[in-house]
Amino acid sequence: MPHVLTRSLDRSATVFLIVVAAAGVLIPLSNLLLPAGSMFQVPTYLVALFGKYVCYAILALAIDLIWGYCGILSLGHGAFFALGGYAMGMYLMRQIGSRGVYGNSVLPDFMVFLNYPKLPWYWHGFDMFWFAALMVVLVPGLLAFGFGWLAFRSRVTGVYLSIITQAMTYALLLAFFRNDFGFGGNNGLTDFKDILGFNVQAESTRAALFALSCLALIIGFLICRAVVTSKLGKVLIAIRDAESRTRFLGYRVESYKLFVFTLSACMAGVAGALYVPQVGIINPGEFAPGNSIEAVIWVAVGGRGTLIGAALGAIVVNYAKTVFTSGPLAPYWLFMLGALFILVTLLLPKGIIGTFNAWWEPWKARRVSANAVSAAREDGVSEPNMAE
């Protein structure tokens, strides 16, 4: 496995991992060790904000894995993100215990308010972190597996698959809005106290969550790189470019799609689980179809089929969202987001990283050729053999 991961890394991937690792170490240290007011001290609210950006970058990686390399345009990945967040939120709610408003050591406050006689069966086990961590991966993975098995087996592709994924997300949105569904209804889950015995509001805990998010981004990136640079990745690209021809060659296209779709959903669930303790709330609004569409825009802006571009697009777009939604342009943010998507589609169809690569590779090839010609002239050879 280490050999596979090492072989899958190129110079740009290595630089990306170094930058993420440096951020995961330096930002928490600057927050905890430097005095307040120092020019290099990162405030706690920025640590939480950057942590949210990193979680979005993991979600963008998950979408790019299926869209950029397999051609599956999912407009419902926000559902897997939210399910992972709810799994972590249920664990955090069980940790409140008797410190809630109503002082019930078993039932969360919203269940006491709604006169629940006992804890629903699907809440059992979430008082243990290992069980909640398992559900963070298992619940989105099982939903993706069941949905993908039905959709891919029926050979639903293209825009029809995109519409169905969005319908799935909207159905979950309506279900989680119901008070009798057992997940807090419109208010969702909030008022978290502890995670693994540490105060979730403490500066040290927020710094640790940010570092953990960066580690998850690194692991997720390595997994995606190992997939797309392997023989499996070549089959996925073949499915993206010519699905019917790939099927004709004897590959079980449905199995490949199902595997990568399930893996992507599990990554989205992990991103949602890391997101919840850093923002302090999870509610049905995370299931909104617009969130899934916005995540696709991140990938398009950064560069579909590049992985690094997907993560970069998530950070750039969400930073712009933070800036523009806090001023007089706040009511027009959605219009600006739509205009950004249109401009990128028309002017930069390959995204930021894809456009840079399209410019960089020819320039690099010309430079190598010029160096070869110069070296050949110095050696007295009129026409250098480039194959040598």
Side-chain angles (χ1 to χ4, degrees):
M1 188 65 183
H3 174 66
V4 173
L5 294 178
T6 304
R7 186 179 58 190
S8 66
L9 298 179
D10 55 14
R11 181 180 298 178
S12 59
T14 303
V15 171
F16 173 78
L17 293 177
I18 292 174
V19 170
V20 175
V25 173
L26 296 179
I27 291 179
L29 290 179
S30 68
N31 173 254
L32 297 175
L33 301 182
L34 297 180
S38 173
M39 181 175 63
F40 299 103
Q41 199 262 353
V42 179
T44 303
Y45 79 93
L46 281 182
V47 174
L49 182 64
F50 294 157
K52 185 171 71 171
Y53 292 165
V54 174
C55 294
Y56 287 152
I58 300 174
L59 175 60
L61 277 180
I63 295 175
D64 193 30
L65 180 63
I66 59 171
W67 184 35
Y69 291 93
C70 195
I72 303 173
L73 177 55
S74 171
L75 298 181
H77 252 55
F80 306 126
F81 180 85
L83 287 173
Y86 265 97
M88 179 56 65
M90 292 167 72
Y91 164 76
L92 295 173
M93 291 296 290
R94 293 296 307 274
Q95 298 305 299
I96 295 175
S98 58
R99 291 173 294 174
V101 175
Y102 297 99
N104 193 305
S105 60
V106 177
L107 297 179
D109 285 339
F110 74 89
M111 291 187 182
V112 178
F113 178 77
L114 295 174
N115 298 320
Y116 274 67
K118 60 180 181 179
L119 193 71
W121 64 267
Y122 45 85
W123 275 76
H124 289 287
F126 279 95
D127 56 333
M128 299 176 287
F129 180 80
W130 69 267
F131 182 82
L134 179 63
M135 292 299 106
V136 163
V137 178
L138 191 61
V139 172
L142 286 177
L143 176 61
F145 183 86
F147 175 87
W149 188 82
L150 293 173
F152 301 141
R153 185 169 176 265
S154 303
R155 298 190 180 180
V156 179
T157 58
V159 66
Y160 303 104
L161 180 65
S162 301
I163 293 173
I164 294 175
T165 56
Q166 196 160 56
M168 174 193 69
T169 305
Y170 189 67
L172 288 171
L173 170 69
L174 297 179
F176 275 79
F177 260 120
R178 295 174 59 92
N179 286 327
D180 57 356
F181 204 58
F183 295 100
N186 183 42
N187 295 323
L189 309 178
T190 187
D191 194 30
F192 307 135
K193 306 293 186 184
D194 297 332
I195 179 170
L196 291 175
F198 298 97
N199 183 0
V200 75
Q201 301 294 334
E203 292 184 355
S204 57
T205 305
R206 290 187 174 275
L209 287 171
F210 174 80
L212 185 61
S213 299
C214 291
L215 177 61
L217 177 59
I218 292 174
I219 295 175
F221 181 83
L222 289 174
I223 292 174
C224 291
R225 285 286 301 185
V227 169
V228 302
T229 57
S230 65
K231 294 180 180 179
L232 170 62
K234 291 180 173 60
V235 176
L236 295 179
I237 294 174
I239 294 172
R240 179 195 68 188
D241 295 339
E243 180 176 336
S244 58
R245 183 176 298 179
T246 307
R247 183 179 286 110
F248 178 77
L249 291 174
Y251 290 97
R252 295 179 61 88
V253 171
E254 295 78 13
S255 300
Y256 285 94
K257 282 187 170 184
L258 185 59
F259 168 76
V260 74
F261 190 72
T262 304
L263 175 61
S264 176
C266 292
M267 289 180 57
V270 172
L274 292 169
Y275 171 84
V276 167
Q278 298 186 79
V279 300
I281 188 173
I282 178 71
N283 58 36
E286 297 297 336
F287 287 100
N291 291 349
S292 299
I293 296 174
E294 187 174 336
V296 171
I297 295 177
W298 305 339
V299 179
V301 170
R304 173 189 171 193
T306 60
L307 294 181
I308 296 176
L312 179 63
I315 295 173
V316 169
V317 175
N318 280 284
Y319 176 76
K321 182 178 181 179
T322 301
V323 172
F324 289 112
T325 55
S326 59
L329 296 177
Y332 310 102
W333 164 247
L334 291 179
F335 298 101
M336 297 173 62
L337 184 64
L340 176 64
F341 182 65
I342 293 173
L343 290 175
V344 168
T345 303
L346 295 177
L347 303 179
L348 298 175
K350 296 181 180 180
I352 297 174
I353 297 297
T355 302
F356 175 79
N357 289 337
W359 170 83
W360 171 258
E361 292 300 333
W363 180 85
K364 183 178 179 181
R366 289 194 301 268
R367 183 178 178 182
V368 171
S369 178
N371 290 339
V373 171
S374 177
R377 288 176 179 173
E378 291 179 0
D379 294 338
V381 180
S382 59
E383 293 183 1
N385 188 353
M386 296 301 296
E388 297 178 357

